[in-house]
């Protein structure tokens, strides 16, 4: 096409500048540039055409600069295009390793920037051929960046050091010996057979307040941000987010495995034996703490750094990445909450409830997905119901424990040890149990005659009162298994005293109150009185004066000797039996000795003192042997 033909073809109007609106300026410049570009002419001819254009309209005086800029843009575009094509994954040379080639990586990013800039400039000029080439180059570049983004994330993920994260674990002893057959199966999990075995409940590992762990090598965060920025600017944010979430989701799942949390179905969890389940519950509790304090906070920090320019993308990446590991943790919690209830699980369930309640607050503060928060809240409610139900069932089990073999020699029953050690540990959960039992309508049943301050007691304290009352009622029933009334009193004294001491030596005293302690101490004194009456009444009857006349009367002397003989026989029999009885508490043992001495010795001395004609060294020697009628445990 000749230059003149080109001009005639466009039929440029001869209007002046004053006849056009200012809004038409850009269209005039674009039309002029398109005409020039369509003139496939040498540079000299093109310059003449520009001179002619500027004569038509003074707004076209700067069109030569525009055409010059267009030429420069085209040169830069072609250079950038070559860089992109050089690292095309389909090309023979495409082994660029991003972290090891910082100069080439920077050149690649600059090439993308140039193409993006060219696209903006060329979109005004509607150069379809160049636009197609630019789109193709960007597709290649984004494919490369997506691969590099994913590889950098994978290669630079930091594995957790679980041992370093765990702090010291506080071990609270819950140990007592029990002989086989002396206690129901319900309580065997804590009361193991064998006197040297110890059971304990571990409460949590402490994590430092300043704990901060990088989940990605800090050196590559800037590179990841640079790549993400180009992908988002190029309209490939979906691919960028998907690559990030896939890699980081797998990384967080790997962290859970390191922390000992396996991906198990609800059915698989419910089939696990208690010993193994207990270990998994402990690991779960620690994993939740570390997930919130380390993984989620670290993941949020990482999202904030890489996707600094877009709040919406930050939120999407964080939620999508964190959701998988959180739901896996919640799945285990749900499986535990609907599993078979047994007393040994209560502490673990309360720990799980406690840590999940704290985690739920953190979820909300971290702008966690509403679905995740709803799921966590649901599992929290289920764990709370499981804890409350387990506690109630434990009380029923204590009330109904029906072992029929009396404890040898009146010692403390394993059920007493078990229950009191159990409730002593439960005091640590006072706050959470008060919350769970707040609306319990049956908590005060049968307690109105037990405590005059009942209306001031917390829900947990009322439940403890009810539990211990059930234990005392059970012990009362078990005491009836003893044929000897005195031994029955020894058994009740030992057990009630053990209960009182556990209350006095722990936080239980604050919950149950001093009135409760005083009432039980009075019961122990009543049992002591009943013991003295039951075992010494027959011996003391021998020391009465009835039926004995003057000591000079031969008949009276015979009666007197028979009385001494009967007393000695009763004493020896009582001594023989009671030396096998057990009173483990040294103070109670000493008080019983003093009570016996105060009751028996004066009667014996008075009886002996009135009989001046009889010498009785044997009887006195026999009486001295009475010093220790029973022994400690």
């Amino acid at each position: 096409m000749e230059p003149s033909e080109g001009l005639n073809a466009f039929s440029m109007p001869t209007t002046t500048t004053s006849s056009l609106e200012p809004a038409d300026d850009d269209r005039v410049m674009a039309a002029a540039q398109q005409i020039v570009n369509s003139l496939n002419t040498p540079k000299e001819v093109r310059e003449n055409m520009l001179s002619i254009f500027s004569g038509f309209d003074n707004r076209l005086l700067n069109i030569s600069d525009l055409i010059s800029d267009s030429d420069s843009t085209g040169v830069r575009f072609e250079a950038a295009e070559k860089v992109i094509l050089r690292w095309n994954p389909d090309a023979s040379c495409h082994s660029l390793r991003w972290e090891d080639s910082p100069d080439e990586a920077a050149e690649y990013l600059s090439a993308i920037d140039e193409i993006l800039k060219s696209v903006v400039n060329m979109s005004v000029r509607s150069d379809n051929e160049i636009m197609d080439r630019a789109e193709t180059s960007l597709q290649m570049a984004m494919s490369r960046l997506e691969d590099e983004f994913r590889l950098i994330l994978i290669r630079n993920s930091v594995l957790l050091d679980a041992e370093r994260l765990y702090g010291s674990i506080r071990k609270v002893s819950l140990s007592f010996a029990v002989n086989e057959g002396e206690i129901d199966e319900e309580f065997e999990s804590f009361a193991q057979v064998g006197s040297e075995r110890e059971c304990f409940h571990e409460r949590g590992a402490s994590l430092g307040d300043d704990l901060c762990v990088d989940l990605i090598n800090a050196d590559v965060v800037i590179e990841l941000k640079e790549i993400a920025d180009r992908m988002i600017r190029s309209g490939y944010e979906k691919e960028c987010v998907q690559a990030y979430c896939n890699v980081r989701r797998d990384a967080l799942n790997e962290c859970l495995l390191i922390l000992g949390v396996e991906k198990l179905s609800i059915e698989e969890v419910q089939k696990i034996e208690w010993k193994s389940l207990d270990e998994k519950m402990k690991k779960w509790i620690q994993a939740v703490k570390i997930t919130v304090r380390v993984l989620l906070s670290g993941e949020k920090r990482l999202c904030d750094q890489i996707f600094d320019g877009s709040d919406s993308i930050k939120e999407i990446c964080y939620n999508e990445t964190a959701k998988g590991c959180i739901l896996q943790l919640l799945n285990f919690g749900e499986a535990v909450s609907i599993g078979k209830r047994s007393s040994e699980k209560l502490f673990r369930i309360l720990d799980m409830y406690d840590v999940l309640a704290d985690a739920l607050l953190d979820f909300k503060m971290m702008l966690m997905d509403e679905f995740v928060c709803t799921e966590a809240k649901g599992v929290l409610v289920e764990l709370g119901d499981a804890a409350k139900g387990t506690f109630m069932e434990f009380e029923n089990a204590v009330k109904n424990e029906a072992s029929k073999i009396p404890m040898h020699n009146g010692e403390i029953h394993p059920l007493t040890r078990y229950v009191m050690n159990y409730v002593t540990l439960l005091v640590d959960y006072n706050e959470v149990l008060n919350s769970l039992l707040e609306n319990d309508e049956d908590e005060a049943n049968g307690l109105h005659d037990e405590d005059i301050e009942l209306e001031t007691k917390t829900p947990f304290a009322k439940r403890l009162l009810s539990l211990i009352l059930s234990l005392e009622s059970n012990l009362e029933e078990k005491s009836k298994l003893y044929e000897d009334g005195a031994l029955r009193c020894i058994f009740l004294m030992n057990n009630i005293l053990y209960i009182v001491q556990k209350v006095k030596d722990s936080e239980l005293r604050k919950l149950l109150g001093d009135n409760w302690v005083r009432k039980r101490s009075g019961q122990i004194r009543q049992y002591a009185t009943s013991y003295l009456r039951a075992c010494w009444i027959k011996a003391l009857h021998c020391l009465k004066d009835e039926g004995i006349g003057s000591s000079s009367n031969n008949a009276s002397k015979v009666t007197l000797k028979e009385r001494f003989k009967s007393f000695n026989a009763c004493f020896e029999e009582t001594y023989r039996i009671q030396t096998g009885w057990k009173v483990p508490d040294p103070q109670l043992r000493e008080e019983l000795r003093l009570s016996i001495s105060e009751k028996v010795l004066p009667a014996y001395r008075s009886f002996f003192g009135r009989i001046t004609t009889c010498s009785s060294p044997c009887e006195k020697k026999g009486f001295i042997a009475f010093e220790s009628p029973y022994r400690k445990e």
Side-chain angles (χ1 to χ4, degrees), residues 215-444:
L215 304 179
I216 290 286
N217 289 327
D219 296 340
V220 301
V221 172
I222 293 178
E223 295 174 5
L224 291 168
K225 183 181 184 305
E226 294 286 346
I227 294 175
D229 178 61
R230 268 67 176 190
M231 294 186 73
I232 293 170
R233 283 166 50 201
S234 301
Y236 283 77
E237 63 272 6
K238 181 179 179 181
E239 289 77 5
C240 182
V241 167
Q242 185 174 4
Y244 180 87
C245 292
N246 287 342
V247 174
R248 293 305 306 154
R249 191 184 297 118
D250 291 342
L252 292 184
N253 288 338
E254 183 69 22
C255 289
L256 288 185
L257 281 176
I258 292 173
L259 296 174
V261 178
E262 305 171 66
K263 194 169 186 178
L264 300 171
S265 67
I266 292 178
E267 292 75 16
E268 289 173 327
V269 172
Q270 293 180 345
K271 292 179 181 178
I272 300 174
E273 294 183 356
W274 163 242
K275 187 175 181 180
S276 297
L277 181 60
D278 183 46
E279 287 300 316
K280 292 185 184 299
M281 291 168 78
K282 284 193 293 184
K283 290 177 179 178
W284 185 92
I285 292 163
Q286 302 307 324
V288 171
K289 292 180 181 179
I290 292 174
T291 296
V292 173
R293 291 286 309 284
V294 178
L295 299 185
L296 296 187
S297 61
E299 195 63 41
K300 194 171 192 313
R301 187 168 60 252
L302 187 60
C303 287
D304 289 344
Q305 292 172 333
I306 294 176
F307 304 104
D308 183 43
S310 174
D311 290 339
S312 61
I313 292 179
K314 281 191 292 189
E315 184 175 344
I316 291 171
C317 286
Y318 175 68
N319 285 333
E320 289 302 314
T321 301
K323 184 184 298 184
C325 72
I326 294 176
L327 291 179
Q328 182 177 332
L329 290 169
L330 294 179
N331 185 70
F332 181 84
E334 181 183 7
V336 169
S337 70
I338 62 178
K340 181 182 178 181
R341 293 174 181 174
S342 56
S343 57
E344 70 272 13
K345 291 182 181 179
L346 179 56
F347 299 101
R348 293 282 177 244
I349 293 175
L350 287 171
D351 285 336
M352 291 175 69
Y353 180 92
D354 211 15
V355 75
L356 185 56
D358 290 339
L360 183 56
L361 296 176
D362 289 316
F363 291 163
K364 294 177 179 178
M365 290 176 60
M366 292 178 180
L367 301 176
M368 183 58 66
D369 187 288
E370 185 62 31
F371 171 76
V372 172
C373 292
T374 301
E375 289 293 304
K377 187 175 181 180
V379 174
L380 182 67
V381 171
E382 291 174 352
L383 285 171
D385 290 341
K388 181 178 176 180
T390 301
F391 190 25
M392 304 295 187
E393 289 188 13
F394 175 68
E395 181 182 338
N396 291 331
V398 171
K399 184 185 300 182
N400 299 321
E401 199 281 319
S403 55
K404 296 299 182 181
I405 301 177
M407 293 304 299
H408 184 61
N409 296 332
E411 58 187 317
I412 300 169
H413 199 280
L415 180 65
T416 307
R417 296 182 185 274
Y418 178 93
V419 172
M420 294 312 300
N421 279 282
Y422 194 92
V423 298
T424 300
L425 292 179
L426 278 180
V427 176
D428 285 345
Y429 302 91
N430 179 32
E431 184 175 345
V432 63
L433 283 170
N434 274 327
S435 174
L436 292 174
L437 297 170
E438 187 173 7
N439 298 318
D440 183 12
E441 297 178 355
D442 299 327
E443 62 191 10

Side-chain angles (χ1 to χ4, degrees), residues 155-175:
R155 287 195 293 255
N156 291 277
S157 293
V158 178
L159 293 180
L160 287 180
D161 183 353
E163 293 300 323
R164 186 177 72 84
L165 288 174
Y166 288 142
S168 59
I169 296 178
R170 182 168 64 92
K171 295 182 178 181
V172 184
S173 177
L174 180 62
S175 63

Side-chain angles (χ1 to χ4, degrees), residues 183-198:
I183 194 168
D184 279 358
E185 183 179 354
E186 168 69 19
F187 302 95
E188 288 181 357
S189 54
F190 275 141
Q192 297 288 349
V193 176
S195 59
E196 296 183 358
R197 298 190 62 173
E198 182 181 73

